[in-house]
Amino acid sequence: MAEWTPDEVLDARGLSCPMPILKTKKIMKTLKPGQILEIQGTDPGTRNDLPAFTERSGDELLGEEQRDGYISFFVKKG
Amino acid sequence: MGVLVEKFKEGYSLLFDRNWPLWVGGILLALLGVICMAAGRPWGVAGGLRVWSDWLFYWIGLYSTAPAHAFFLSNASILTWGLLFGAFGSALMSRQFAWRNAPTLELVKGLVGGVFMGVGSVMAGGCNVGGFYTALAAGSVSGFAMMAGLLVGALIGLKYLMWEIEHVTSKPPKQKASKEGGIDWSKVQPWLGALFFAFLVGWAYCMSFRAYTQEAVLMIAALGIGIVIQRCRFCFVRSFRDPFMTGEAVATRAVAMSVILSVFGFFAIKWFRADWQMVYIYHHWIGGLVGGVIFGIGMLLAGGCGSGSVWRAGEGQFKLILAVITFSMSNSLFKNYVWTKDVANSWGKPIFLAAVTDYFWAIVITAVVMLVWWAVMAWNEETDSLTIV
């Protein structure tokens, strides 16, 4: 069971750089402050790119969870 | 013994658990690039890729004469093999190697992006490495033209990606559920990686006894480049794309700094080896500019440039494996066409910057252009003025 309950889920499995971040940035614009986006990804680069992205955007990277064959990242709109 | 094992684990974790900062990559790439230059063959990626397809097309009977460079043991080819092997071994060492499939649309973008990059790199005299990074270090004026082209191409490519997100939907590929039991590959991978590297280094040592010393040196340097680039996830695409996408300029800073460092090394070597002055000097300006635009679009579609596609292929990413294959084939075919039709002369003239000014001012000019690029993107990092996403 997830520690965080997402308002939106982005399925970025199988996508490689830069698509996960590009899609994340687009969806984050539609969220209200406090809402949570779950990003499901398989690209090893996302673990670096996402913290760099949230640091600039003012959103909060809550954490990640290892799932079966992918990783879920949770980002809270700031 | 316990302490030693502990220290060994710490060292391993430092090198292969966390990624290295990009600026470390910038410094190390400059160093390894200068070593390649000193060994007589500056770092490039497209040249090696071309040799592979030259042979393929020769074997299937499309080309009538055998390629001048050997499939494996030639200086261009060995640099790209080394990059691929280095990235593959490094991915194993850091337990990041995995077969990664992608949605069909992504695979198509890999194929098409590869063709764009193959064609663009023929016009510019190399990929983002040989046509831009190494070319600038070597004092080729065409490097500036390609840089401008890459910026334009990256913008066009990014515009397309944004359009695609709005208008095209693609399904993610089926994910294989992990099997119960069996071998835990994540534990085995680092040992396989270490074994692979030990084999390659030993083999390079043997090559040096068979009058292949240059190839051996180049392969060791290229292995180093592959490791550095995989551990840093060093990406030339990011340096051109990210300022327009997220506003981030970390990659831009790393590349700009790396070019400035390399220039000193390259120019020192060229100064003492007057017969090497025209090494890595390409057609200015149409070749660099138009090639750069085409290449820039391709690298955005593929999500990897010359070096980026190869190291990601070494990590097991299927989309980039396809990009490398079409890159290699289209480069070979287009280059062959260009040679037979003799059209390259209409793309401009090869100009060595230091022959126009002198060595001092050539270094100053290159450094100033890099610093301006750096400064504009750092300003954009604060203001997001150029960000279009």
Side-chain angles (χ1 to χ4, degrees), chain A residues 60-78:
Chain A
E60 191 189 346
L61 180 59
L62 298 170
E64 58 177 65
E65 281 175 10
Q66 183 69 49
R67 299 280 166 81
D68 190 15
Y70 63 95
I71 304 172
S72 277
F73 299 90
F74 295 87
V75 177
K76 189 162 102 180
K77 170 88 171 179

PDB file of all heavy atoms in Angstrom, chain A residues 60-78:
ATOM      1  N   GLU A  60       7.437  19.594  -4.328  1.00  0.00           N
ATOM      2  CA  GLU A  60       8.127  18.780  -3.331  1.00  0.00           C
ATOM      3  C   GLU A  60       8.146  17.317  -3.764  1.00  0.00           C
ATOM      4  O   GLU A  60       7.099  16.733  -4.042  1.00  0.00           O
ATOM      5  CB  GLU A  60       7.409  18.906  -1.979  1.00  0.00           C
ATOM      6  CG  GLU A  60       8.203  18.300  -0.844  1.00  0.00           C
ATOM      7  CD  GLU A  60       7.400  18.227   0.457  1.00  0.00           C
ATOM      8  OE1 GLU A  60       6.336  18.881   0.553  1.00  0.00           O
ATOM      9  OE2 GLU A  60       7.833  17.500   1.352  1.00  0.00           O
ATOM     10  N   LEU A  61       9.355  16.740  -3.806  1.00  0.00           N
ATOM     11  CA  LEU A  61       9.481  15.314  -4.108  1.00  0.00           C
ATOM     12  C   LEU A  61       9.305  14.564  -2.793  1.00  0.00           C
ATOM     13  O   LEU A  61      10.162  14.621  -1.915  1.00  0.00           O
ATOM     14  CB  LEU A  61      10.850  15.022  -4.729  1.00  0.00           C
ATOM     15  CG  LEU A  61      11.132  13.573  -5.113  1.00  0.00           C
ATOM     16  CD1 LEU A  61      10.120  13.051  -6.116  1.00  0.00           C
ATOM     17  CD2 LEU A  61      12.532  13.435  -5.683  1.00  0.00           C
ATOM     18  N   LEU A  62       8.158  13.895  -2.650  1.00  0.00           N
ATOM     19  CA  LEU A  62       7.856  13.248  -1.370  1.00  0.00           C
ATOM     20  C   LEU A  62       8.701  12.003  -1.166  1.00  0.00           C
ATOM     21  O   LEU A  62       9.156  11.726  -0.058  1.00  0.00           O
ATOM     22  CB  LEU A  62       6.366  12.882  -1.322  1.00  0.00           C
ATOM     23  CG  LEU A  62       5.398  14.077  -1.407  1.00  0.00           C
ATOM     24  CD1 LEU A  62       3.968  13.594  -1.598  1.00  0.00           C
ATOM     25  CD2 LEU A  62       5.506  14.941  -0.169  1.00  0.00           C
ATOM     26  N   GLY A  63       8.890  11.250  -2.244  1.00  0.00           N
ATOM     27  CA  GLY A  63       9.684  10.039  -2.112  1.00  0.00           C
ATOM     28  C   GLY A  63       9.389   9.081  -3.250  1.00  0.00           C
ATOM     29  O   GLY A  63       8.686   9.430  -4.190  1.00  0.00           O
ATOM     30  N   GLU A  64       9.954   7.884  -3.147  1.00  0.00           N
ATOM     31  CA  GLU A  64       9.747   6.902  -4.202  1.00  0.00           C
ATOM     32  C   GLU A  64       9.464   5.547  -3.593  1.00  0.00           C
ATOM     33  O   GLU A  64       9.792   5.271  -2.437  1.00  0.00           O
ATOM     34  CB  GLU A  64      10.994   6.819  -5.085  1.00  0.00           C
ATOM     35  CG  GLU A  64      12.260   6.451  -4.319  1.00  0.00           C
ATOM     36  CD  GLU A  64      13.470   6.296  -5.227  1.00  0.00           C
ATOM     37  OE1 GLU A  64      13.871   7.292  -5.823  1.00  0.00           O
ATOM     38  OE2 GLU A  64      14.007   5.167  -5.295  1.00  0.00           O
ATOM     39  N   GLU A  65       8.805   4.709  -4.359  1.00  0.00           N
ATOM     40  CA  GLU A  65       8.549   3.340  -3.904  1.00  0.00           C
ATOM     41  C   GLU A  65       8.907   2.372  -5.013  1.00  0.00           C
ATOM     42  O   GLU A  65       8.547   2.581  -6.172  1.00  0.00           O
ATOM     43  CB  GLU A  65       7.067   3.173  -3.542  1.00  0.00           C
ATOM     44  CG  GLU A  65       6.740   3.739  -2.177  1.00  0.00           C
ATOM     45  CD  GLU A  65       5.258   3.677  -1.870  1.00  0.00           C
ATOM     46  OE1 GLU A  65       4.510   3.024  -2.632  1.00  0.00           O
ATOM     47  OE2 GLU A  65       4.861   4.297  -0.876  1.00  0.00           O
ATOM     48  N   GLN A  66       9.635   1.326  -4.660  1.00  0.00           N
ATOM     49  CA  GLN A  66       9.988   0.289  -5.628  1.00  0.00           C
ATOM     50  C   GLN A  66       8.787  -0.610  -5.851  1.00  0.00           C
ATOM     51  O   GLN A  66       8.230  -1.168  -4.907  1.00  0.00           O
ATOM     52  CB  GLN A  66      11.184  -0.511  -5.099  1.00  0.00           C
ATOM     53  CG  GLN A  66      11.699  -1.567  -6.045  1.00  0.00           C
ATOM     54  CD  GLN A  66      12.369  -0.951  -7.282  1.00  0.00           C
ATOM     55  OE1 GLN A  66      13.203  -0.059  -7.165  1.00  0.00           O
ATOM     56  NE2 GLN A  66      11.986  -1.433  -8.463  1.00  0.00           N
ATOM     57  N   ARG A  67       8.332  -0.707  -7.091  1.00  0.00           N
ATOM     58  CA  ARG A  67       7.217  -1.589  -7.410  1.00  0.00           C
ATOM     59  C   ARG A  67       7.735  -2.764  -8.229  1.00  0.00           C
ATOM     60  O   ARG A  67       8.928  -2.853  -8.484  1.00  0.00           O
ATOM     61  CB  ARG A  67       6.153  -0.830  -8.203  1.00  0.00           C
ATOM     62  CG  ARG A  67       5.557   0.346  -7.475  1.00  0.00           C
ATOM     63  CD  ARG A  67       4.492  -0.123  -6.488  1.00  0.00           C
ATOM     64  NE  ARG A  67       4.148   0.940  -5.542  1.00  0.00           N
ATOM     65  CZ  ARG A  67       3.317   1.931  -5.822  1.00  0.00           C
ATOM     66  NH1 ARG A  67       2.752   2.007  -6.995  1.00  0.00           N
ATOM     67  NH2 ARG A  67       3.042   2.848  -4.915  1.00  0.00           N
ATOM     68  N   ASP A  68       6.840  -3.593  -8.679  1.00  0.00           N
ATOM     69  CA  ASP A  68       7.251  -4.757  -9.450  1.00  0.00           C
ATOM     70  C   ASP A  68       7.639  -4.339 -10.872  1.00  0.00           C
ATOM     71  O   ASP A  68       6.790  -4.185 -11.735  1.00  0.00           O
ATOM     72  CB  ASP A  68       6.099  -5.774  -9.482  1.00  0.00           C
ATOM     73  CG  ASP A  68       6.570  -7.100 -10.069  1.00  0.00           C
ATOM     74  OD1 ASP A  68       7.804  -7.294 -10.172  1.00  0.00           O
ATOM     75  OD2 ASP A  68       5.721  -7.922 -10.429  1.00  0.00           O
ATOM     76  N   GLY A  69       8.920  -4.128 -11.099  1.00  0.00           N
ATOM     77  CA  GLY A  69       9.381  -3.785 -12.444  1.00  0.00           C
ATOM     78  C   GLY A  69       9.430  -2.296 -12.743  1.00  0.00           C
ATOM     79  O   GLY A  69       9.794  -1.906 -13.846  1.00  0.00           O
ATOM     80  N   TYR A  70       9.046  -1.457 -11.826  1.00  0.00           N
ATOM     81  CA  TYR A  70       9.168  -0.012 -12.032  1.00  0.00           C
ATOM     82  C   TYR A  70       9.252   0.708 -10.695  1.00  0.00           C
ATOM     83  O   TYR A  70       9.100   0.102  -9.637  1.00  0.00           O
ATOM     84  CB  TYR A  70       8.003   0.525 -12.866  1.00  0.00           C
ATOM     85  CG  TYR A  70       6.638   0.386 -12.235  1.00  0.00           C
ATOM     86  CD1 TYR A  70       6.095   1.449 -11.503  1.00  0.00           C
ATOM     87  CD2 TYR A  70       5.887  -0.778 -12.372  1.00  0.00           C
ATOM     88  CE1 TYR A  70       4.835   1.339 -10.919  1.00  0.00           C
ATOM     89  CE2 TYR A  70       4.644  -0.889 -11.786  1.00  0.00           C
ATOM     90  CZ  TYR A  70       4.119   0.167 -11.059  1.00  0.00           C
ATOM     91  OH  TYR A  70       2.887   0.049 -10.484  1.00  0.00           O
ATOM     92  N   ILE A  71       9.508   2.025 -10.773  1.00  0.00           N
ATOM     93  CA  ILE A  71       9.565   2.835  -9.562  1.00  0.00           C
ATOM     94  C   ILE A  71       8.473   3.892  -9.630  1.00  0.00           C
ATOM     95  O   ILE A  71       8.236   4.487 -10.680  1.00  0.00           O
ATOM     96  CB  ILE A  71      10.930   3.540  -9.409  1.00  0.00           C
ATOM     97  CG1 ILE A  71      12.066   2.522  -9.427  1.00  0.00           C
ATOM     98  CG2 ILE A  71      10.983   4.345  -8.117  1.00  0.00           C
ATOM     99  CD1 ILE A  71      13.447   3.160  -9.481  1.00  0.00           C
ATOM    100  N   SER A  72       7.786   4.104  -8.517  1.00  0.00           N
ATOM    101  CA  SER A  72       6.809   5.184  -8.439  1.00  0.00           C
ATOM    102  C   SER A  72       7.398   6.347  -7.658  1.00  0.00           C
ATOM    103  O   SER A  72       7.898   6.165  -6.545  1.00  0.00           O
ATOM    104  CB  SER A  72       5.535   4.713  -7.733  1.00  0.00           C
ATOM    105  OG  SER A  72       4.707   4.048  -8.650  1.00  0.00           O
ATOM    106  N   PHE A  73       7.365   7.525  -8.271  1.00  0.00           N
ATOM    107  CA  PHE A  73       7.820   8.738  -7.600  1.00  0.00           C
ATOM    108  C   PHE A  73       6.582   9.568  -7.240  1.00  0.00           C
ATOM    109  O   PHE A  73       5.621   9.608  -8.006  1.00  0.00           O
ATOM    110  CB  PHE A  73       8.732   9.571  -8.515  1.00  0.00           C
ATOM    111  CG  PHE A  73       9.972   8.848  -8.944  1.00  0.00           C
ATOM    112  CD1 PHE A  73       9.975   8.083 -10.107  1.00  0.00           C
ATOM    113  CD2 PHE A  73      11.145   8.943  -8.194  1.00  0.00           C
ATOM    114  CE1 PHE A  73      11.131   7.428 -10.514  1.00  0.00           C
ATOM    115  CE2 PHE A  73      12.295   8.288  -8.602  1.00  0.00           C
ATOM    116  CZ  PHE A  73      12.289   7.520  -9.768  1.00  0.00           C
ATOM    117  N   PHE A  74       6.633  10.219  -6.075  1.00  0.00           N
ATOM    118  CA  PHE A  74       5.489  11.036  -5.652  1.00  0.00           C
ATOM    119  C   PHE A  74       5.920  12.491  -5.511  1.00  0.00           C
ATOM    120  O   PHE A  74       6.879  12.792  -4.793  1.00  0.00           O
ATOM    121  CB  PHE A  74       4.929  10.507  -4.336  1.00  0.00           C
ATOM    122  CG  PHE A  74       4.355   9.124  -4.474  1.00  0.00           C
ATOM    123  CD1 PHE A  74       5.166   7.998  -4.329  1.00  0.00           C
ATOM    124  CD2 PHE A  74       3.009   8.946  -4.773  1.00  0.00           C
ATOM    125  CE1 PHE A  74       4.645   6.724  -4.482  1.00  0.00           C
ATOM    126  CE2 PHE A  74       2.486   7.674  -4.928  1.00  0.00           C
ATOM    127  CZ  PHE A  74       3.302   6.564  -4.785  1.00  0.00           C
ATOM    128  N   VAL A  75       5.220  13.361  -6.244  1.00  0.00           N
ATOM    129  CA  VAL A  75       5.556  14.775  -6.228  1.00  0.00           C
ATOM    130  C   VAL A  75       4.350  15.578  -5.783  1.00  0.00           C
ATOM    131  O   VAL A  75       3.237  15.378  -6.286  1.00  0.00           O
ATOM    132  CB  VAL A  75       6.006  15.262  -7.625  1.00  0.00           C
ATOM    133  CG1 VAL A  75       6.293  16.756  -7.608  1.00  0.00           C
ATOM    134  CG2 VAL A  75       7.227  14.492  -8.094  1.00  0.00           C
ATOM    135  N   LYS A  76       4.558  16.469  -4.789  1.00  0.00           N
ATOM    136  CA  LYS A  76       3.470  17.322  -4.310  1.00  0.00           C
ATOM    137  C   LYS A  76       3.624  18.707  -4.910  1.00  0.00           C
ATOM    138  O   LYS A  76       4.702  19.299  -4.840  1.00  0.00           O
ATOM    139  CB  LYS A  76       3.487  17.406  -2.782  1.00  0.00           C
ATOM    140  CG  LYS A  76       2.257  18.106  -2.209  1.00  0.00           C
ATOM    141  CD  LYS A  76       2.095  17.784  -0.734  1.00  0.00           C
ATOM    142  CE  LYS A  76       2.579  18.956   0.101  1.00  0.00           C
ATOM    143  NZ  LYS A  76       2.443  18.707   1.545  1.00  0.00           N
ATOM    144  N   LYS A  77       2.542  19.197  -5.488  1.00  0.00           N
ATOM    145  CA  LYS A  77       2.573  20.529  -6.103  1.00  0.00           C
ATOM    146  C   LYS A  77       2.789  21.594  -5.021  1.00  0.00           C
ATOM    147  O   LYS A  77       2.099  21.610  -4.012  1.00  0.00           O
ATOM    148  CB  LYS A  77       1.241  20.770  -6.822  1.00  0.00           C
ATOM    149  CG  LYS A  77       1.033  22.177  -7.291  1.00  0.00           C
ATOM    150  CD  LYS A  77       1.604  22.379  -8.675  1.00  0.00           C
ATOM    151  CE  LYS A  77       1.172  23.753  -9.207  1.00  0.00           C
ATOM    152  NZ  LYS A  77       1.722  24.014 -10.534  1.00  0.00           N
ATOM    153  N   GLY A  78       3.773  22.478  -5.268  1.00  0.00           N
ATOM    154  CA  GLY A  78       4.095  23.502  -4.275  1.00  0.00           C
ATOM    155  C   GLY A  78       3.408  24.827  -4.579  1.00  0.00           C
ATOM    156  O   GLY A  78       2.710  24.971  -5.585  1.00  0.00           O
TER     157      GLY A  78
END
